[in-house]
Amino acid sequence: MKKNMFLLVCAIVSSVFVWGQDERMISGTVSDGNSPISNVQIAVLENGESVFSNTDGKYTIVADTGDVLTYTYMGMKTITIRVEDVTRILNPIMILDVNELDEVVVESSKRLSQKNIEEQYTVRENIIKTAYGYIDAERSSGRIGFIQEDDITFAAGNILNLIATGRLQGVQIIDGGVFIRGISSIENRRPAVFDVDGQIFTQIPMWVDLGNIKRIAVLNNLAMTTQYGTIASGGVIVINTLAGNIAKKGIVDQAKLRNNFYKDDALDSEGRKNNWPAYKKQLYASTSVETAQITFKELAVTHSNSPYFLLDAQAYFTEEWDRADLGEEIIANHFTPYTENSVLLKALSYQYQEQGQYEKANATYKEVFLLRPNYAQSYLDMARSYREIGSTIKSASLHARYGYLQEQGFMEIDTAGLGSIMDREFNNLLALEKDAVVEKGKRNKLFVAKEDFEGTRVVFEWNDGEAEFELQFVNPGKQYHTWKHSLADNAALIAREKNFGYNTMEQLIDGSLPGNWRVNVTYLGNKSLTPSYLKATVYHNYGTRAQRKEVKVFKMSLKNVNQELLTLRSAMGVASK
């Protein structure tokens, strides 16, 4: 046994912080949030290799896992991003490097600004958001054809079939390409390009879920497509999704920012349901598990290649019908997307934990550990997971092993971020489960620090290191503070997380202000078009013998909208989602 443990430690130590030679192409588009930026220098910090973004803001660069990419452009804040094992696409948004702005007074104008148009987006159907800003059809230089959310039927199956139905006037399919009649380049057989939530695609985006489309528009003249350059000489089909294009609903109240009073304006669970993709609405409309199985099989024909559809389906059958066996069958039969993808495996682990399937979560976390032995988060995840399945000795061993690797210099010591969380977790384990960890005769020799906090402890974790979001904590007096996890507001924190390899933070709520607390979240994206998963572990009566916990998982896909996440009903209450 000791020999096996020694070999395991040696294997782990030999791999810690030895970022493998996992050379791959990293590509993406650099923008300011509205328009692409050309001539941005993208460099690999370790070897000085660099490229520049082209006129469309696009770039491609070769990098290894562990390399740091820098994005530099005069007048903009430099962005640094560490390449992870799953990194393939990075679409960073650069912001102005401004230290101080003088007060500016703008005279009113009858011309609508981009901000004015954005504010009207949700209430006017003739506004479309493009990669270069909003276009108001009433004030555009040409006629724009639209398809609205309510006019899209799931029967079409995919975007190509939807186009083929003729719902987009003047758009036709020829030899597998999409062409717009009336645009001069049609004679030269230049196909249209697609603008999906601000990202340009020359191929038909077959992966777009029809149930997630908010609005489609056809830009068919030079005046409207000139900003796209020659690539759009065949016209542009713009697709706004529900997840990526929820516009702001009003002007920011500056008094609210000064006084930080919450206005009960976060999107609730019913509002989130309205923004569910069509496949999820169909599943949850099933009246029996038998009809749900039939619906799933029908949906799987076009959606089974999406790991997020599979995660939703697993959660649905497990949680709605108490059929964990059906949920597991779905994952087992479609496991390929998750293989060697630590981000997806962590999302799956989160769901298992929320569902109380701790053994399955433990097995999945082991796969992540093997993929990421150099991440501090891997040790924390495994230690927590072993504690959940009752293997307290293994949990304590993981904590001890992490400390040993730090002492030996194999892992850097972190005292500001993850270190304090790890110390708190280990101390809590020893304080509450010392009898299961330490032999009876040695318990008196074990020093356990007195817990410095009792109350409600909330630990947040996210599966994707590129995820950017804001957490809003609203106290019983309805005043709030915001924790910002974005490159624009907290680049140093994100760099630190990447360097040490963790994605977690904690919030401690004591009893000094009794009453109901709320936690809301605003998702800002993850530099790709995929969702991210946020796990919240709520510990009630933390540090006492009455300590208990519950896990809530939140799929972040709807961007730029403040959404209700948790309600904490005092230290003795429960969390709701």
Side-chain angles (χ1 to χ4, degrees), residues 147 151 153 155-156 158-168 171 173:
I147 295 182
D151 298 325
T153 62
N158 58 55
I159 189 69
L160 185 61
N161 291 340
L162 179 66
I163 295 171
T165 62
R167 289 181 176 272
L168 285 172
V171 179
I173 299 173

Coordinates of all heavy atoms in Angstrom, one line a residue, residues 147 151 153 155-156 158-168 171 173:
I147 N -37.0 37.7 -40.1 CA -37.8 36.6 -39.5 C -37.7 36.8 -38.0 O -36.6 36.9 -37.4 CB -37.2 35.3 -39.9 CG1 -37.3 35.0 -41.4 CG2 -38.0 34.2 -39.2 CD1 -36.8 33.6 -41.8
D151 N -42.0 33.5 -35.6 CA -42.3 32.9 -36.9 C -41.4 31.7 -37.3 O -41.5 31.1 -38.3 CB -42.0 34.0 -38.0 CG -42.9 35.2 -37.8 OD1 -44.1 35.0 -37.4 OD2 -42.5 36.4 -38.0
T153 N -40.4 28.0 -36.8 CA -41.0 26.7 -36.4 C -39.9 25.7 -36.3 O -39.0 25.6 -37.1 CB -42.1 26.2 -37.4 OG1 -41.5 26.0 -38.6 CG2 -43.2 27.2 -37.5
A155 N -40.0 22.7 -36.9 CA -40.2 21.7 -37.9 C -39.1 21.8 -38.9 O -38.7 20.8 -39.6 CB -41.6 21.8 -38.6
A156 N -38.5 23.0 -39.2 CA -37.5 23.1 -40.2 C -36.2 22.3 -39.8 O -35.5 21.9 -40.7 CB -37.1 24.6 -40.3
N158 N -33.2 22.8 -39.0 CA -31.9 23.5 -39.0 C -32.0 24.8 -39.8 O -33.0 25.0 -40.5 CB -30.7 22.6 -39.4 CG -31.0 22.1 -40.8 OD1 -31.2 22.8 -41.8 ND2 -30.9 20.7 -41.0
I159 N -31.0 25.6 -39.7 CA -31.0 26.9 -40.3 C -31.1 26.8 -41.9 O -31.7 27.6 -42.5 CB -29.8 27.7 -39.9 CG1 -29.9 29.2 -40.4 CG2 -28.5 27.1 -40.4 CD1 -31.0 29.9 -39.7
L160 N -30.4 25.8 -42.5 CA -30.5 25.6 -43.9 C -31.9 25.3 -44.4 O -32.4 25.9 -45.4 CB -29.5 24.6 -44.3 CG -29.3 24.4 -45.9 CD1 -28.8 25.7 -46.5 CD2 -28.4 23.2 -46.2
N161 N -32.6 24.4 -43.7 CA -33.9 24.1 -44.0 C -34.9 25.3 -43.9 O -35.8 25.5 -44.6 CB -34.5 22.9 -43.2 CG -33.8 21.6 -43.6 OD1 -33.2 21.5 -44.7 ND2 -33.8 20.7 -42.7
L162 N -34.6 26.1 -42.8 CA -35.4 27.3 -42.6 C -35.3 28.3 -43.8 O -36.2 28.9 -44.3 CB -35.0 28.0 -41.3 CG -35.7 29.3 -41.0 CD1 -37.2 29.0 -40.6 CD2 -35.0 30.0 -39.8
I163 N -34.0 28.5 -44.3 CA -33.8 29.3 -45.4 C -34.5 28.8 -46.6 O -35.1 29.5 -47.4 CB -32.3 29.5 -45.6 CG1 -31.6 30.2 -44.5 CG2 -32.0 30.2 -47.0 CD1 -30.1 30.3 -44.5
A164 N -34.4 27.5 -46.8 CA -35.0 26.8 -48.0 C -36.5 27.0 -48.0 O -37.1 26.9 -49.1 CB -34.6 25.3 -48.0
T165 N -37.2 27.2 -46.9 CA -38.6 27.3 -46.9 C -39.1 28.6 -47.5 O -40.3 28.8 -47.8 CB -39.2 27.3 -45.5 OG1 -38.7 28.4 -44.7 CG2 -38.8 26.0 -44.8
G166 N -38.2 29.6 -47.8 CA -38.5 30.8 -48.4 C -39.0 31.9 -47.5 O -39.5 32.9 -47.9
R167 N -38.8 31.6 -46.2 CA -39.2 32.7 -45.2 C -38.4 33.9 -45.3 O -38.8 35.0 -44.9 CB -39.2 32.1 -43.8 CG -40.3 31.0 -43.5 CD -40.1 30.5 -42.1 NE -41.2 29.6 -41.8 CZ -42.4 30.0 -41.3 NH1 -42.7 31.3 -41.1 NH2 -43.4 29.1 -41.1
L168 N -37.1 33.8 -45.8 CA -36.3 34.9 -46.0 C -36.4 35.4 -47.4 O -35.9 34.7 -48.3 CB -34.8 34.6 -45.6 CG -34.5 34.5 -44.2 CD1 -33.0 34.0 -44.0 CD2 -34.6 35.8 -43.5
V171 N -33.8 35.2 -50.6 CA -32.7 34.4 -50.3 C -32.9 32.9 -50.9 O -34.0 32.4 -50.7 CB -32.5 34.3 -48.8 CG1 -31.3 33.3 -48.5 CG2 -32.2 35.7 -48.2
I173 N -31.1 28.9 -52.1 CA -29.9 28.0 -52.0 C -29.6 27.5 -53.4 O -30.5 26.9 -54.1 CB -30.3 26.8 -51.0 CG1 -30.6 27.4 -49.6 CG2 -29.2 25.8 -51.0 CD1 -31.1 26.3 -48.7

